[in-house]
Amino acid sequence: MGWLVTIIVGFVVGVLAKVLHPGKDNLGFIMTTLLGIGGSLLAGWAGQAAGWYEAGQPAGWIASTIAAVVILAVYTRVVKK
C-alpha cells in the first residue's frame, strides 16, 4: 500500500509543479508522476541535510512541490538545448 500512496502523492505534487512552473511542459502521466516523486525525494534529502526532518520522516507538500518545480525548471533548461 505504501507504493500506491507514493505514486498518488508523486502525481499530485507533479501536477502542482506543472501548474506553478510557467511555460509549456510536454510531460505525460508517467513523467509527471516521476517528477513529483523526485521532488519529494529531493525535498526529503535537503530537509534532512538542513535538519528540518529526521531520517524516515516524509517531506511536506510545500517542500516537495518547490523541489519538483526546481527539477522541472532544470529539466526544461536541459531539454531546450
Side-chain angles (χ1 to χ4, degrees):
M1 195 65 158
W3 285 101
L4 182 61
V5 172
T6 301
I7 291 170
I8 292 170
V9 169
F11 178 71
V12 171
V13 168
V15 168
L16 287 172
K18 285 177 63 174
V19 168
L20 293 174
H21 186 264
K24 186 176 182 194
D25 304 310
N26 293 327
L27 298 176
F29 174 77
I30 294 173
M31 287 300 291
T32 300
T33 304
L34 291 176
L35 169 70
I37 292 170
S40 295
L41 291 174
L42 178 62
W45 175 79
Q48 286 179 14
W52 299 334
Y53 305 116
E54 296 293 324
Q57 186 178 4
W61 285 92
I62 296 172
S64 298
T65 304
I66 291 170
V69 169
V70 170
I71 291 172
L72 184 57
V74 170
Y75 173 79
T76 56
R77 300 278 192 265
V78 169
V79 170
K80 215 179 239 189
K81 290 183 179 186

